[in-house]
Amino acid sequence: MRERSRVEETIYAMQRAGAGSLQVISDFDMTLTRFAHNGKRVATTHNILDNRLLINEDCTKKMRELLNIYYPIEIDASRSVEEKLPLMVEWWTKVHELLIQQKIRKDLLAQAVRESSTMLRDGYKVFFDGLAEHQVPLLIFSAGVGDVLEEVIRQNHVFHPNVHIISNYMDFDHTGVLRAFKGQLIHTFNKREGALSHAAGLRELQGRPNVLLLGDSLGDLTMADGVSEPQNVLTIGFLNDQVEERKETYINSFDIVLVKDETMDVPNAIFRYIT
Ligand code: C5P
Ligand code: MG
């Protein structure tokens, strides 16, 4: 924590206002899902699609090549967001074009999720169930693939009615074959635009000026930009990768930084206190 007293005061203020004034806005990949498990990286929603059921070997190879080029850029502490922006658009656009060429079938997505290495963070059930029980809206704001994300939380039995999702959704033709992606592309560094155009209009989030925000990327900090007249905003950043290079920036940007923490323990403790 950069400023422990600010964190404490924000949590006290949130507790005084109660669950009825709170909304939770969270990133998905590597925030609600684990970064690694037993020393191996856990699949992101895009990487769950890397399954022979859905894509061929050539597509796997091309997607991995793109990941090897663009992921280091995404997390590079020495480059500015302005510099990264066009490169992220390039990455997402190329991957989505590859996926469309593969004629992915909607009816096979659930099986690909079941066969994948994806895992929500330890304590996820307490987190999702607690928010649902107190009717606190959870906005999941993801630059991943919405259809896959939904299936992950459905298979983990936490797709409760208080969950709202903004993400990249697949557009299937009448035979259930992928033909495009819907709406405006969401990547790591344009969540502000999505927040203003989508989140700001969600009725369930109105009148809740206190925000608990969870993310793993600096781009996630803009996810609350659509909240009108925010009062108390507490941001928690999961620092998973390039820890030493990024620690200072993260501490200067998020209120709380969790280093290589694969659990929901801290968000759960804060929520338990607030309610
Ligand atoms: O849910 P979230 O916004 O975190 O999803 C985006 C993440 O997915 C990025 O952090 C990026 O590293 C990852 N990604 C990926 N493969 C892609 C594009 C993005 O693993 N083709
Ligand atoms: Mg993420």
Side-chain angles (χ1 to χ4, degrees), residues 27-31 41 44-47 63 66-67 71 74-75 91-92 95-96 141-145 149 186-188 191 216-217 220:
D27 169 56
F28 190 71
D29 290 300
M30 296 177 271
T31 295
R41 287 289 301 271
T44 61
T45 51
H46 278 99
N47 291 334
M63 273 176 70
L66 293 171
L67 183 80
Y71 175 67
E74 180 190 6
I75 63 165
W91 181 18
W92 261 256
V95 167
H96 287 184
F141 203 141
S142 172
V145 181
L149 187 169
I186 303 171
H187 58 77
T188 327
K191 290 190 175 181
D216 76 292
S217 164
D220 295 330

Side-chain angles (χ1 to χ4, degrees), residues 2-270:
R2 173 185 71 252
E3 221 182 319
R4 189 192 168 106
S5 57
R6 191 195 112 77
V7 169
E8 288 178 352
E9 278 156 25
T10 308
I11 295 173
Y12 293 148
M14 287 177 160
Q15 195 250 347
R16 282 194 301 273
S21 300
L22 182 68
Q23 57 175 299
V24 179
I25 304 180
S26 181
D27 169 56
F28 190 71
D29 290 300
M30 296 177 271
T31 295
L32 292 178
T33 59
R34 296 177 66 116
F35 175 72
H37 182 58
N38 291 337
K40 278 188 73 180
R41 287 289 301 271
V42 166
T44 61
T45 51
H46 278 99
N47 291 334
I48 288 171
L49 300 170
D50 180 7
N51 181 312
R52 279 301 156 269
L53 282 172
L54 306 174
I55 68 174
N56 63 27
E57 220 172 307
D58 183 53
C59 182
T60 292
K61 192 167 150 272
K62 287 183 177 148
M63 273 176 70
R64 288 204 186 142
E65 282 165 7
L66 293 171
L67 183 80
N68 291 337
I69 296 170
Y70 291 102
Y71 175 67
I73 298 174
E74 180 190 6
I75 63 165
D76 189 344
S78 70
R79 293 185 199 233
S80 69
V81 170
E82 290 69 37
E83 202 182 328
K84 293 178 186 186
L85 255 164
L87 297 165
M88 293 301 105
V89 174
E90 218 172 85
W91 181 18
W92 261 256
T93 307
K94 284 180 181 169
V95 167
H96 287 184
E97 275 166 8
L98 283 171
L99 293 172
I100 292 163
Q101 282 166 14
Q102 295 298 305
K103 305 200 181 319
I104 288 177
R105 277 175 48 193
K106 186 180 168 69
D107 63 346
L108 294 176
L109 290 181
Q111 192 182 340
V113 170
R114 273 193 294 276
E115 292 177 3
S116 77
S117 65
T118 188
M119 263 180 104
L120 295 169
R121 284 184 193 271
D122 283 5
Y124 76 89
K125 220 175 154 31
V126 170
F127 178 77
F128 279 90
D129 291 356
L131 295 178
E133 189 192 326
H134 289 90
Q135 292 169 21
V136 171
L138 168 61
L139 174 63
I140 302 179
F141 203 141
S142 172
V145 181
D147 310 75
V148 178
L149 187 169
E150 287 194 4
E151 193 53 36
V152 173
I153 58 175
R154 195 174 295 123
Q155 289 185 15
N156 283 285
H157 311 290
V158 290
F159 196 174
H160 301 313
N162 64 318
V163 174
H164 307 277
I165 300 164
I166 299 176
S167 188
N168 298 302
Y169 276 91
M170 292 172 151
D171 188 8
F172 297 97
D173 67 15
H174 69 283
T175 66
V177 171
L178 178 65
R179 62 168 175 198
F181 278 81
K182 292 179 188 168
Q184 225 197 339
L185 176 74
I186 303 171
H187 58 77
T188 327
F189 297 106
N190 72 347
K191 290 190 175 181
R192 181 183 155 76
E193 289 147 48
L196 293 172
S197 58
H198 298 299
L202 280 174
R203 190 174 36 82
E204 294 86 349
L205 307 181
Q206 304 303 316
R208 293 177 176 268
N210 295 340
V211 183
L212 184 61
L213 180 146
L214 314 178
D216 76 292
S217 164
L218 295 173
D220 295 330
L221 285 162
T222 63
M223 294 187 302
D225 287 7
V227 180
S228 63
E229 300 180 43
Q231 278 172 14
N232 301 287
V233 181
L234 189 73
T235 60
I236 302 181
F238 288 92
L239 179 50
N240 303 309
D241 203 1
Q242 295 277 305
V243 171
E244 285 317 312
E245 294 82 347
R246 299 197 291 172
K247 206 173 196 170
E248 201 187 325
T249 320
Y250 269 58
I251 289 174
N252 287 328
S253 309
F254 289 94
D255 297 313
I256 299 174
V257 179
L258 302 173
V259 177
K260 289 192 180 284
D261 177 346
E262 296 285 10
T263 77
M264 294 302 284
D265 292 353
V266 171
N268 283 344
I270 292 170

